[in-house]
Structure formats: C-alpha cells, structure tokens
Amino acid sequence: MATESTGWQEVAKAKLNSINHSIPEDWRVESLPSREQQRNVTGDFIRQYLTTEEVEITETTATAIIKKTSAGEWTAEAVARAFCHRASLAHQLTNCLHETFFDAAVENAKTLDEYYVTNKKPIGPLHGLPISLKDQFHVKGVETSMGYVGWIRTFEGKTGTGKEKVFESELVKELRDMGAILYCKTSVPHTLMSGETANNIIGYTSNPQNRNLSSGGSSGGEGALIGLRGSPVGFGTDIGGSIRIPAAFNGLMANSMDGQNSVLSVVGPLADSVNTLQLVVKCLLSREPWLHDPQVHEIPWRDDKAVISKDDPLSFAVLRHDGSATPHPPVQRAISTVVEALEKRGHKVIEWHPPDHARGVNIVLKAWTYDNGADIRSAFALSGEPMIPQIVGAFPGDKPPEDATYIAANNVAQREYQKEYMEYWNSTAELTGTGRPVDVVIAPVAPFSAARPERYSYYGYSAIVNLLDYTACTLPVTTADKNIDVVVDAASFKPVSELDRKIAEDYDAEIYDGSHVSVQLIGRRLQEEKVLAVTEYVAGVLKG
C-alpha cells in the first residue's frame, strides 16, 4: 500500500521484483526472445528448459496425474516441483503470475507423500494434483492484490483487519482437504472488468500461442499458465466471460457455471480437457459446498444428465452473428467447421434467431455499472495509481451512483428478457425434429480469436450468457491461418455500426496467424453435466 513517503510506482516495482525473485535462480532464463523473435512459446520452445521427466509430468492430464499419485507411481513432491518449474517459465514468457508459494507447495506435497507411505492410500480424490488459482481467491500466507497496488500488504485494501494472509477462501479450503497442491496465483486486470489482463504491477499478460495477442481476461493469467502447461487445471471467475474468454484465447476448455441471482461473478475451472473439468466439478460438489456458500444450489453431480444417448439424437442451433459485431474470418470458419462436422454425423443444426442481443447486453452493462465506478475508484485512490487504458472508458467517473428505482427497473428488464429468451428456446421444439427444443447453441466467445492489445471493445457474445444465467463451455476448434482466413471482399462489407466497423478493421491475417480459435457451446440453466458431456461429444466429432 502506497504512503505519503512511498509512491505507487515504488510499491508496484517492489511487488514485481518480489514475484520475479521468488523464482529459483536455477529456473530463471537469462536471455528471453522478444515476441518478434519468438511468437509462439508453447510446445517445443518451453520444453527446451525442462527435463524429460518434467515434460512427461506436466504434459499428463489431471486425471492421469491423480491415478499415478494415488497409486504411488509418482510422488506428489516430484509432480509439484515439475509444475512449479514450468509455471516459473510460463511467467517469464507471458507475465502470468501474481504470487508464487513454491516452497509451501513442496512441503505440502511431502506431507501427502508421507501420508501415502503410512496409510497406503491417497488422502483424497485430488491427491497430489497441482491446481492454480486466479488472484481473487485468498490463500493463507499469501497476499491477494487482485492487480491493485493499493491492496498490497492489506486485506482487500484494508489494514488491521486480522485477516491479512490469514483468511482463506472456501474453495481453497475444499481443494486442500481433497489433497490438491496449491502453488501459485495468477494475474488479473485490476477491477477484473477487462477481456485483457494488465495492471500496474506485472504489466501485460500475453498469449503464449501468439504473443502479439492477449491471453484474455479477467482470468488471463490462468489462461496463459494452463496454455503453457504450467498448470493442469485452475480456477477463475466469470461475470461476463472472464473464464470463457481466456480459455478460448488459449485453446482450453472452461465451464462457466451458473447459479447466481443476478449478474454476479461465478466460479469455474479451466483445463485442457472435459474430463478434467468434470473431475474437479464432481469433487467439489461431493463436498456439499451449499452448506458453506449461500449462492450455491443444493444440487449434487447428476450422472444421468452427463450421458449422451446414441438412440436420442442431439439437436443444435448456431449463432453466426449477434446483430452487433461481425466475427473475424477465423471465428467464422471455426463456427462453420463445427456445424459441418455435426451435420455430417446426421445432427440437425438450425439457425439461432433469439430476442435482440443488443437489448440484453445493454441490461448487462447497466448492471455492471450501478455505482458508476465508485468502488473501483476508491481502490485506485488507495495508492494513486492510474487505471489501465482498457478500463478508463468503462468508468468515466462523471456520474453519481444509480438509485434504487433505476436498479429495480433494470432487474425487471432482466427478468422479462430471460422469460422472452426462455420461450424462444422452447419454441425451437417445432424445428429440431427431435420433439425437444435445441440442446445446445454453438456461438462465438468473442468476435476475434484473441484480442489485440487495448482493442477488446465488445463483450456481447460472452456477457449474454451471464445475463441469462445459462451454462456454457468453450471448445477449441482450430488455429488461425493467414492463407485461409482472408477478407475476400472488404469493399462489400456493410458494418451495422461504427463499433462493428472498428472490429472488422482490427483484423490482420498476419498478426492473428497461429492463434487458437474456439467457440462456446451454450446450454440452459443448471445443465453443467449435459453441457460438458455435449462438449466432449462434439470434440470427438471434430477429431473424426
């Protein structure tokens, strides 16, 4: 926290130095290439700094890691050290970490190994599995800055609370009790209200597949870290796409779980497979989290909802354009690729023409800014630091907080919109041929495969899911190809708005070349099991 004698720049620099110096010297890379020299730092590039054993461990799926640690084939300590090393490399390449607690992780792993030797069984269902956390969750002994300079050495900006480095989030407690190894917290944009991850402490978190682009936000550190296999699975939060966006930008799968009463932030996992998402969600639900979190529905994992029957064909809908932002060529191709693959398998895919998304997005934007930025400005005032450019436009600070009448009216508008959307979805039973409404909607996560720095200008494709309180999962489809994803006839393009024009002009096939391209599969409320099962099925269809 900045004081009269210490400016925010000094506090931020000291924090950055502490993060970088927490990386063991043996794991520091002396000469790192610029993004011009090395655009893609995944795969063979990062492997060159690891041992053969470390590569094997860190490129093993979460479910397979647990099988090995639970059978005594791998020690939890060896697994922890391997992921700590790879996470250190990931940070040096992309600026993806806010906190490291590697020593504590290794000690925790040793305790797990001792338990296994003594009891001949794992301590829990996540025995020896490293899990990373977005720097929004509290971990004992570790700071939570959430990207704010003014939160450094405080508890959420307050001092003398008795909670500093003592309080632990409920999710963290549950993960520990199940045998998970916690070892790092990942970068976020201050305020958490950006599809790019940047702050005045660590700078900009880049996309490891294409460092010209963003890793997404606000769980962007998670996206970059898992994209580089510096973590097998991590947890983020999502209020308008903050889990799905970084998952999509980094070629990952992520489940944005519903259950909120209004447009609130929800927790969800990011990983490289549906199996991993199912694993951690099932494990958490087995702990009956509704007994400790009033926002969680009392619904255990339902195996019968997670089965795709060969005798009961699925029906899909596709949203190609939401009426506000035209997807870039790579995203259009990804959508078409999924549709064509499903149609070849005999599934019917109808066009999705729901209630006006612009109206829904406007309701979301109002909900995000009820206080017109008063809360975040108070956080910035703690240190005097400026907002990053990505945030400035959303919270100009020239309006007072909205009153109760305004908020109540927006809540009514939200309920009416949800009802209208629900009835539209129900009406598709007449078109699917299955006798049921559409099972899942295929849609972009964003109009671009990943955002260029300071150019994330439209959140409608992701935020509409939060407004509706629906379930969604990202699905990696392909990578951008400058030779295929070209603008055929720019002169004939007719933008629907100035924003649409700017988004289209931001596309550069050369810059985007090689970036991950994903879509999202959207299901109805409280359909996590079904959406994950369908996502796994569609992923299999794409593989052939």
Side-chain angles (χ1 to χ4, degrees):
M1 186 174 182
T3 65
E4 292 182 4
S5 60
T6 307
W8 72 262
Q9 296 94 335
E10 294 176 58
V11 176
K13 184 177 180 180
K15 182 63 178 178
L16 176 61
N17 288 339
S18 73
I19 297 168
N20 293 335
H21 290 161
S22 72
I23 296 174
E25 288 190 24
D26 291 347
W27 294 351
R28 298 176 195 172
V29 180
E30 291 186 6
S31 181
L32 289 169
S34 66
R35 68 183 184 185
E36 291 77 20
Q37 294 170 317
Q38 187 67 41
R39 174 184 291 199
N40 185 344
V41 292
T42 65
D44 286 340
F45 183 84
I46 192 170
R47 290 186 192 118
Q48 69 180 300
Y49 303 109
L50 300 162
T51 67
T52 301
E53 180 186 27
E54 288 173 330
V55 170
E56 180 186 7
I57 290 173
T58 55
E59 296 188 9
T60 298
T61 64
T63 51
I65 289 171
I66 292 172
K67 285 181 181 179
K68 289 183 178 292
T69 55
S70 297
E73 294 180 38
W74 284 351
T75 65
E77 181 182 355
V79 173
R81 289 186 183 277
F83 275 101
C84 288
H85 187 187
R86 193 152 182 161
S88 297
L89 296 170
H91 174 66
Q92 293 173 77
L93 294 167
T94 63
N95 292 337
C96 62
L97 299 183
H98 275 185
E99 302 288 342
T100 68
F101 33 107
F102 299 152
D103 290 343
V106 171
E107 289 304 311
N108 181 30
K110 289 179 179 178
T111 300
L112 294 174
D113 290 334
E114 290 169 3
Y115 180 92
Y116 185 86
V117 169
T118 301
N119 297 279
K120 308 301 180 187
K121 65 177 183 179
I123 202 168
L126 299 178
H127 183 94
L129 178 67
I131 294 181
S132 52
L133 299 166
K134 181 179 185 176
D135 189 26
Q136 188 178 358
F137 299 102
H138 294 286
V139 178
K140 284 183 180 179
V142 182
E143 280 193 335
T144 302
S145 73
M146 216 169 77
Y148 287 120
V149 175
W151 280 25
I152 295 171
R153 299 193 297 274
T154 74
F155 179 79
E156 299 181 357
K158 302 178 181 67
T159 57
T161 66
K163 293 184 177 181
E164 293 88 339
K165 292 190 177 183
V166 175
F167 178 79
E168 193 152 79
S169 300
E170 194 60 41
L171 172 71
V172 176
K173 295 176 186 177
E174 300 290 2
L175 293 174
R176 283 193 193 279
D177 288 346
M178 289 186 287
I181 299 171
L182 309 177
Y183 63 112
C184 64
K185 294 207 294 178
T186 52
S187 57
V188 300
H190 53 212
T191 75
L192 305 182
M193 298 300 290
S194 174
E196 301 172 58
T197 293
N199 58 61
N200 293 317
I201 301 170
I202 55 94
Y204 197 89
T205 302
S206 58
N207 189 311
Q209 178 83 4
N210 182 337
R211 293 196 293 167
N212 291 314
L213 305 173
S214 169
S215 64
S218 63
S219 308
E222 283 297 316
L225 180 66
I226 301 170
L228 278 166
R229 292 298 301 172
S231 170
V233 60
F235 278 90
T237 57
D238 193 315
I239 194 172
S242 292
I243 293 171
R244 286 162 290 139
I245 290 166
F249 288 8
N250 291 281
L252 305 172
M253 293 180 171
N255 180 209
S256 181
M257 300 185 286
D258 60 14
Q260 70 271 37
N261 293 321
S262 57
V263 188
L264 300 178
S265 181
V266 294
V267 174
L270 300 84
D272 64 353
S273 72
V274 170
N275 283 339
T276 299
L277 300 181
Q278 291 171 326
L279 166 73
V280 294
V281 173
K282 289 173 73 172
C283 285
L284 283 171
L285 291 178
S286 73
R287 306 286 296 182
E288 300 182 334
W290 47 83
L291 296 178
H292 303 283
D293 187 339
Q295 295 291 340
V296 177
H297 288 286
E298 189 175 344
I299 303 175
W301 180 268
R302 300 162 293 185
D303 285 316
D304 61 312
K305 303 291 186 182
V307 177
I308 303 299
S309 173
K310 294 181 180 179
D311 300 322
D312 194 10
L314 296 167
S315 63
F316 297 83
V318 57
L319 177 69
R320 300 180 189 273
H321 193 304
D322 72 348
S324 295
T326 305
H328 285 177
V331 179
Q332 294 181 30
R333 179 165 62 88
I335 292 286
S336 296
T337 297
V338 175
V339 171
E340 291 167 10
L342 289 169
E343 288 179 335
K344 285 181 181 178
R345 285 290 183 95
H347 296 288
K348 188 169 184 179
V349 184
I350 68 170
E351 298 295 322
W352 192 246
H353 299 295
D356 181 27
H357 271 207
R359 178 158 56 94
V361 172
N362 185 53
I363 295 170
V364 176
L365 294 176
K366 287 183 178 180
W368 286 349
T369 56
Y370 283 150
D371 74 344
N372 284 309
D375 180 64
I376 66 168
R377 284 195 296 276
S378 68
F380 287 117
L382 292 171
S383 66
E385 66 172 312
M387 294 183 190
I388 57 173
Q390 292 89 337
I391 303 297
V392 173
F395 301 98
D398 54 359
K399 293 173 60 180
E402 305 297 348
D403 61 21
T405 301
Y406 177 96
I407 295 170
N410 200 49
N411 286 338
V412 170
Q414 178 184 354
R415 288 196 299 273
E416 291 175 345
Y417 186 83
Q418 288 173 328
K419 169 65 173 173
E420 187 178 344
Y421 214 101
M422 178 187 290
E423 294 301 343
Y424 170 73
W425 197 310
N426 292 338
S427 74
T428 62
E430 301 175 3
L431 304 173
T432 60
T434 65
R436 305 186 315 275
V438 159
D439 290 296
V440 163
V441 179
I442 305 157
V445 178
F448 23 72
S449 57
R452 295 173 65 177
E454 298 185 25
R455 300 194 189 190
Y456 205 127
S457 54
Y458 183 70
Y459 295 88
Y461 285 106
S462 57
I464 198 73
V465 177
N466 298 77
L467 174 75
L468 294 166
D469 199 11
Y470 284 169
T471 308
C473 187
T474 54
L475 174 68
V477 178
T478 185
T479 55
D481 187 328
K482 63 183 179 182
N483 298 312
I484 299 174
D485 301 314
V486 296
V487 178
V488 178
D489 186 7
S492 66
F493 174 66
K494 296 181 179 180
V496 298
S497 66
E498 179 63 16
L499 172 64
D500 192 30
R501 182 187 67 78
K502 288 182 178 179
I503 290 172
E505 290 177 351
D506 275 346
Y507 180 66
D508 184 313
E510 183 66 41
I511 289 174
Y512 276 92
D513 189 45
S515 61
H516 288 291
V517 192
S518 302
V519 301
Q520 62 180 332
L521 302 184
I522 304 169
R524 305 182 86 164
R525 291 189 73 241
L526 305 174
Q527 291 190 347
E528 280 76 17
E529 300 96 337
K530 178 179 179 178
V531 169
L532 287 173
V534 173
T535 303
E536 185 174 36
Y537 172 77
V538 177
V541 170
L542 292 175
K543 290 178 181 177

